Amino acid sequence: LLRLNIQTSGDVKYVMISEDSNFTGTSWIKKESVNFYQLKSIVDGSKTLYIKGSDGNGNIAEQKNKQSSIQNIQSNLESTPQNIVSTASKSTSFVLDQVPPSGGFENLNTNIDLSQTQSLPIEWSSSDTNTSSKPKTTIEYTLDSKNFIPIALDITTDGTSSTGLYDWVVPNELKTAKFKLRLSIKDEAGNVKTSLSNCFNCGYVVV
């Protein structure tokens, strides 16, 4: 289900939306009632959405500019000159992505004596096969596995690398406390892959 935000200029009252460029089997609907569109196929991959607008008097608006994102489709419509009916349509293409990115902690040593070190190196890997943009990574810590305190927000790996490294200066109050780290990797579509580390300063105690 796509959330739509249709922006128009001119007196556009009705729209027609379809995944078929010929709009076969599609009816005009009131523009203000269009908030969502149900895709015919929810299989991940490239999709094309076609849209027309009308003032209700036979004048058809074509999509002129197109801007698309995974979660929000914005279609800017401009009316054609009076008394000219255009059956042509342009399209908005986008990628349907429902699969979380892959990745997680790499070489994380939870047995380290934090009282004897200044910083903790946090290394991770991340990748996403459905979009060209790099996933964003957030690192947090928790004392109770319920409440999470941010360490670093929305960081990406450098260059073409799929691995990242963050040197965390551990607060003094955590150097002897029992805590865990959580890694959240989010792709452009908003899908999130989370990983929870083993416990620091826990020895053989399970928390």
Side-chain angles (χ1 to χ4, degrees):
L1 192 67
L2 291 178
R3 182 173 65 249
L4 302 180
N5 179 16
I6 301 176
Q7 299 176 345
T8 64
S9 61
D11 190 23
V12 176
K13 296 180 180 178
Y14 300 91
V15 293
M16 186 180 289
I17 304 170
S18 178
E19 294 169 66
D20 174 15
S21 60
N22 295 319
F23 294 88
T24 304
T26 306
S27 302
W28 291 104
I29 52 180
K30 289 184 178 180
K31 186 192 72 174
E32 62 267 20
S33 67
V34 180
N35 296 308
F36 298 94
Y37 177 80
Q38 178 65 59
L39 291 171
K40 293 180 180 179
S41 171
I42 59 172
V43 177
D44 283 6
S46 297
K47 308 288 181 182
T48 301
L49 201 62
Y50 301 87
I51 186 168
K52 291 181 181 181
S54 172
D55 61 3
N57 296 317
N59 300 307
I60 308 297
E62 297 180 15
Q63 181 185 343
K64 183 178 180 182
N65 301 318
K66 55 177 180 276
Q67 176 183 354
S68 65
S69 68
I70 302 301
Q71 293 177 299
N72 188 47
I73 306 298
Q74 291 188 340
S75 300
N76 300 313
L77 302 178
E78 182 171 298
S79 295
T80 56
Q82 283 290 319
N83 302 321
I84 296 178
V85 178
S86 171
T87 58
S89 172
K90 294 185 179 180
S91 62
T92 295
S93 298
F94 59 97
V95 175
L96 178 63
D97 180 7
Q98 304 172 95
V99 179
S102 59
F105 290 111
E106 298 282 344
N107 306 313
L108 183 63
N109 181 13
T110 57
N111 293 318
I112 188 173
D113 185 355
L114 295 175
S115 65
Q116 302 298 318
T117 184
Q118 183 69 24
S119 63
L120 174 67
I122 303 173
E123 185 178 359
W124 73 93
S125 63
S126 63
S127 63
D128 184 42
T129 58
N130 287 333
T131 62
S132 58
S133 299
K134 287 190 173 185
K136 294 182 178 180
T137 300
T138 292
I139 306 171
E140 302 161 294
Y141 74 87
T142 178
L143 300 170
D144 56 9
S145 296
K146 296 179 182 178
N147 301 290
F148 294 85
I149 297 89
I151 297 172
L153 301 173
D154 293 336
I155 50 180
T156 58
T157 57
D158 295 330
T160 59
S161 176
S162 61
T163 59
L165 178 63
Y166 184 85
D167 283 317
W168 178 38
V169 179
V170 182
N172 290 330
E173 62 270 21
L174 292 180
K175 290 192 173 182
T176 56
K178 296 180 176 67
F179 68 92
K180 295 180 181 180
L181 296 180
R182 182 172 72 175
L183 191 74
S184 299
I185 305 171
K186 182 172 67 175
D187 65 17
E188 187 180 11
N191 302 305
V192 179
K193 165 72 180 300
T194 60
S195 302
L196 193 64
S197 75
N198 292 328
C199 183
F200 287 84
N201 299 320
C202 285
Y204 295 99
V205 178
V206 178
V207 297

